[in-house]
Amino acid sequence: MRNPYLKSALTGVLLVIGWPPVSFTPLLFVAFVPLLHVLFNEKSLKRSFFYLFTSFFIWTLGTMYWVALVGAGGWDRFALSLALILIPLFMTLPTVCFFWSTKMIKHQYKWLFLPFFWLSYEYLLSNWDLAFAWLHLGLGLSPMPSFMQFYEFTGASGGSFLIILINVLLTLIITHRKRKLHAR
């Protein structure tokens, strides 16, 4: 799959499938790999934003669709429409900020800082007047209570960190192996 928008869409679909109520939860640990693979090779901040927005829009739509079924119409539909734009827009911020701040660093391991940007985003999003913690990554592990015992010490933020870190590490491993194969 060479089309970056299809990879971005795949990330969104994997996040929806990995999220409750569908809950193929282990998919969360690989869901970001297609998107990160696109971003790893992307030089344009503008195109990166569109790839990110595509992924997060699909994820938001796939996990928030039921809100439209609950509302009666009018303002409820307006609020849902606004949420379907704002939530993915806010979700792009940690990666866009990371992408922008590391533009001058050429080493590929700069991607290991992405989990810290994501945690900063989740923390800030939880502590303002428009707080909406529904889609914090760590909450996606709730169907696996035996796995998430470490939440006693880290809270859901530990799960978010682990999900992003594993996705970044898998992307780095795949990219490194592809480069080795092309070098031969």
Side-chain angles (χ1 to χ4, degrees):
M1 181 182 330
R2 295 186 186 268
N3 187 329
Y5 283 107
L6 288 178
K7 288 181 181 180
S8 300
L10 177 61
T11 290
V13 170
L14 290 174
L15 286 167
V16 170
I17 295 171
W19 206 256
V22 179
S23 298
F24 290 119
T25 308
L27 285 178
L28 295 177
F29 294 104
V30 297
F32 283 94
V33 172
L35 177 63
L36 291 175
H37 185 264
V38 168
L39 296 176
F40 195 84
N41 298 311
E42 184 57 56
K43 304 292 185 229
S44 167
L45 185 58
K46 183 179 177 181
R47 281 194 304 265
S48 295
F49 170 80
F50 287 113
Y51 300 144
L52 288 160
F53 189 85
T54 300
S55 296
F56 296 140
F57 180 78
I58 292 170
W59 182 25
T60 303
L61 184 63
T63 55
M64 300 294 296
Y65 70 92
W66 61 270
V67 177
L69 302 175
V70 175
W75 282 106
D76 294 337
R77 291 190 190 214
F78 173 75
L80 177 64
S81 300
L82 190 60
L84 287 176
I85 300 300
L86 290 179
I87 292 170
L89 185 65
F90 289 145
M91 288 179 150
T92 63
L93 290 177
T95 310
V96 167
C97 289
F98 164 77
F99 190 78
W100 178 74
S101 69
T102 60
K103 201 87 161 133
M104 291 184 236
I105 301 172
K106 300 298 180 199
H107 202 276
Q108 66 182 1
Y109 295 115
K110 66 185 177 189
W111 287 90
L112 293 174
F113 290 105
L114 183 58
F116 297 104
F117 278 84
W118 191 272
L119 283 181
S120 299
Y121 152 74
E122 285 188 358
Y123 177 78
L124 291 171
L125 191 68
S126 297
N127 292 304
W128 70 322
D129 290 337
L130 296 175
F132 185 77
W134 185 274
L135 295 177
H136 284 196
L137 281 174
L139 300 177
L141 299 178
S142 62
M144 298 173 48
S146 60
F147 175 76
M148 52 186 268
Q149 293 302 310
F150 66 94
Y151 278 24
E152 178 180 351
F153 304 105
T154 65
S157 297
S160 296
F161 183 84
L162 188 63
I163 289 169
I164 294 291
L165 181 64
I166 288 174
N167 276 280
V168 166
L169 290 174
L170 286 173
T171 304
L172 289 173
I173 289 168
I174 291 168
T175 304
H176 180 71
R177 288 194 180 186
K178 279 186 178 182
R179 286 185 181 162
K180 264 188 164 181
L181 286 175
H182 290 316
R184 289 183 183 181

